[in-house]
């Protein structure tokens, strides 16, 4: 099993380190955070190949970290010493099971452990040509990879081959699985499972007979007679049309499975994606120690995704699994404690969350856990009416909706505030809580979150006057009877009647406030939160 990865100057990562869970690793992060890069780097270090070809054949200047490239070129042009950047990917293996020949200190940490590394560096044999090339720095626009070489080494410093590594990986990405090969494999699996040998023989004979009869069809006979007389400047032989009946062209490559009377390639994307992932699992995973799955949720509804996640979990039992995802459903069902939130330099694990918080999110998959994890700034509110008011307050202050500014407003109920803040205390994402005082002193409400507000990224905002228990009386207090009547299109003569109307129709009134073209005074605690 793999225990750790270190990546230097490869794609999105300048200097990156991540410890692995021995069973399940769920990688999440914003777009371009490097989720796919980690899977690719693991596969690269274990196989020496990128996209199925040796890395030396796929080597490109665009594999290097952009900042490292920019610094190298700037140093050249400024006349400073410019060391050509190197790509290094190191995988640390479990020393208890790894072969002794992989043990050594030839790694970036300089520790005596088992592992393998890919190193892309300037080839000493080409150093004279390289120095001649960089004499004119203006012509250097990218890393000159033509002067580089790829070394695939054990931590002992010895070169290795695929057979040297005790761990094998299977990378499964439905978007890169060719449909036709999947169809063939799917059909063959069904045939092998359900047809007796004599039935397979009958199928082969029927197929061959069908193809032989093709040439005897009257229309084909007439076409071939016409073709025989056609002049050709390529060959003196007669040209005719027929179907290949040789052994290499058998029914396995021609008969197409149908699902509900539709050819396989015409069924829905979700069905195709699920089937391709499961086919790949059946075909590749049996002999693999490590399974890498790229975003299994694509094209799938919650119900179908649930079935797929269960099958992935079952089929990969006893193996080390890495899954990239943007789906809270996948995350909650496989375990929040397995989550790895990616940053530019390392991955943050949430397995240090309290056990009851982990169980909470695992059971309540409807809560959009990843919204909090992925949003750099979030505002937590108590319900849909609060969400609408906070969005209006944000737009009034900043001139745009929160989501347009990268701020996610998330509706959270009851004790769930603390669950979400458990996550925020680890991720460092900025989170503001907006909640009612429910007739309690604001300071007392805020004390309930004292364990979380010690973190500088977390703040709790509560209405100060406990006689105004919830959002509606707070809004009425801030705007007054006349202004609130105008906003809601009502003509109540007493604040008590208007307040009763607002509390009976919370979401409807909140929507009218959100949509109103009139000036609205927001309660101070809401203004503080959106600021």
């Amino acid at each position: 099993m793999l225990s750790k990865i270190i990546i230097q100057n490869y794609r999105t990562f300048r200097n990156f380190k991540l410890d692995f869970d021995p069973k399940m690793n769920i990688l999440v992060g914003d777009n371009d955070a490097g989720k796919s890069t980690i899977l690719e780097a693991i596969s690269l270090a274990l196989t020496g190949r990128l996209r199925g070809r040796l890395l030396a054949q796929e080597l490109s200047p665009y594999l290097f970290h952009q900042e490292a490239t920019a610094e190298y070129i700037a140093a050249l042009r400024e006349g400073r010493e410019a060391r050509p950047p190197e790509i290094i990917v190191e995988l640390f293996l479990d020393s208890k099971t790894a072969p002794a020949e992989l043990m050594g200190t030839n790694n970036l940490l300089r520790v005596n452990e088992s592992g393998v590394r890919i190193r892309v560096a300037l080839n000493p044999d080409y150093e004279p040509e390289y120095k001649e090339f960089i004499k004119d720095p203006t012509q250097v626009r990218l890393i000159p990879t033509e002067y580089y070489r790829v070394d695939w080494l054990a931590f002992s410093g010895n070169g290795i081959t695929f057979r040297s590594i005790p761990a094998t990986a299977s990378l499964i990405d439905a978007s890169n699985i060719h449909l036709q090969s999947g169809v063939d494999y799917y059909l063959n699996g069904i045939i092998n499972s359900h047809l007796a040998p004599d039935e397979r023989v009958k199928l082969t004979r029927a197929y061959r007979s069908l193809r032989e009869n093709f040439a005897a069809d009257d229309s084909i006979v007439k076409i071939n007679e016409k073709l025989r007389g056609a002049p050709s400047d390529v060959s003196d032989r007669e040209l005719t049309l027929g179907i290949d009946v040789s052994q290499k062209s058998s029914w396995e490559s021609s008969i197409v499975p149908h699902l509900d009377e539709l050819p396989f390639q015409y069924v829905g994307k979700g069905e195709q994606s699920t089937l391709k992932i499961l086919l790949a699992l059946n075909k590749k995973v049996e002999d693999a120690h490590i399974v890498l799955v790229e975003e299994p949720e694509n094209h799938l509804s919650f119900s179908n995704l649930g079935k797929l996640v269960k099958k992935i979990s079952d089929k990969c039992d006893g193996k080390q699994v890495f899954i990239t995802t943007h789906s809270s459903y996948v995350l909650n069902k496989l375990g929040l404690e397995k989550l790895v939130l990616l940053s530019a330099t390392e991955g943050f694990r949430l397995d240090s969350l309290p056990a009851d918080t982990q169980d909470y999110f695992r059971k309540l998959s409807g809560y959009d856990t990843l919204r909090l994890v992925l949003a750099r700034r979030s505002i937590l509110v108590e319900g849909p009416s609060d969400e609408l008011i906070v969005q209006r307050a944000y737009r009034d202050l900043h001139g745009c909706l929160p989501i347009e500014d990268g701020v996610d407003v998330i509706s959270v109920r009851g004790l769930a505030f603390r669950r979400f803040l458990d996550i925020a205390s680890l991720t460092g994402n900025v989170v503001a809580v907006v909640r009612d005082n429910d007739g309690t002193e604001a300071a007392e409400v805020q004390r309930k979150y004292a364990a979380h507000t010690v973190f500088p990224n977390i703040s709790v905002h509560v209405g100060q006057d406990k006689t105004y228990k919830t959002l509606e009386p707070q809004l009425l207090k801030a705007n007054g009877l006349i202004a609130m009547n105008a906003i809601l299109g009502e003509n109540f003569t007493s604040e008590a009647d208007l307040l009763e109307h607002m509390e009976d129709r919370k979401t409807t009134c909140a929507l009218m406030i959100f949509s109103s073209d009139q000036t609205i005074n927001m309660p101070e605690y809401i203004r503080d939160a959106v600021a």
Side-chain angles (χ1 to χ4, degrees), residues 178-251:
H178 294 297
L179 186 62
Q180 190 57 47
S181 60
V183 171
D184 296 343
Y185 182 74
Y186 178 57
L187 181 60
N188 281 328
I190 293 174
I191 296 299
N192 291 331
S193 300
H194 293 82
L195 294 189
D198 63 318
E199 291 174 319
R200 291 175 59 87
V201 171
K202 290 177 182 177
L203 177 59
T204 302
R205 286 178 179 172
Y207 180 67
R208 180 174 296 229
S209 176
L210 179 65
R211 294 175 2 157
E212 289 171 346
N213 291 337
F214 175 83
D217 185 273
D218 289 342
S219 59
I220 301 303
V221 169
K222 292 178 181 178
I223 290 172
N224 281 337
E225 288 176 353
K226 186 174 183 180
L227 289 175
R228 283 190 182 95
S232 174
D233 56 359
V234 176
S235 174
D236 294 332
R237 296 175 180 269
E238 290 184 342
L239 173 65
T240 57
L241 296 180
I243 296 180
D244 185 3
V245 294
S246 65
Q247 187 64 33
K248 70 175 183 178
S249 181
S250 61
W251 59 265

Side-chain angles (χ1 to χ4, degrees), residues 191-337:
I191 296 299
N192 291 331
S193 300
H194 293 82
L195 294 189
D198 63 318
E199 291 174 319
R200 291 175 59 87
V201 171
K202 290 177 182 177
L203 177 59
T204 302
R205 286 178 179 172
Y207 180 67
R208 180 174 296 229
S209 176
L210 179 65
R211 294 175 2 157
E212 289 171 346
N213 291 337
F214 175 83
D217 185 273
D218 289 342
S219 59
I220 301 303
V221 169
K222 292 178 181 178
I223 290 172
N224 281 337
E225 288 176 353
K226 186 174 183 180
L227 289 175
R228 283 190 182 95
S232 174
D233 56 359
V234 176
S235 174
D236 294 332
R237 296 175 180 269
E238 290 184 342
L239 173 65
T240 57
L241 296 180
I243 296 180
D244 185 3
V245 294
S246 65
Q247 187 64 33
K248 70 175 183 178
S249 181
S250 61
W251 59 265
E252 287 95 336
S253 59
S254 300
I255 294 180
V256 178
H258 287 57
L259 300 178
D260 291 337
E261 304 298 327
L262 283 175
F264 182 86
Q265 59 266 36
Y266 290 102
V267 300
K269 293 288 186 183
E271 183 76 27
Q272 289 186 18
S273 180
T274 299
L275 198 52
K276 288 193 285 186
I277 289 175
L278 293 177
L279 286 171
L281 285 171
N282 287 337
K283 195 173 184 180
K284 298 180 179 181
V285 167
E286 185 174 347
D287 297 324
H289 303 91
I290 297 142
V291 182
L292 315 169
V293 185
E294 181 82 56
E295 295 186 8
E297 68 268 21
N298 289 342
H299 306 296
L300 295 180
S301 65
F302 267 5
S303 59
N304 287 326
L305 179 58
K307 296 176 185 177
L308 177 60
V309 169
K310 176 68 165 57
K311 290 177 180 177
I312 291 175
S313 182
D314 290 345
K315 287 179 179 294
C316 296
D317 185 42
K319 303 180 186 298
Q320 190 175 24
V321 181
F322 296 81
I323 295 179
T324 66
T325 187
H326 288 109
S327 168
S328 283
Y329 190 95
V330 174
L331 171 62
N332 290 332
K333 288 305 179 186
L334 292 181
L336 193 68
E337 71 279 7

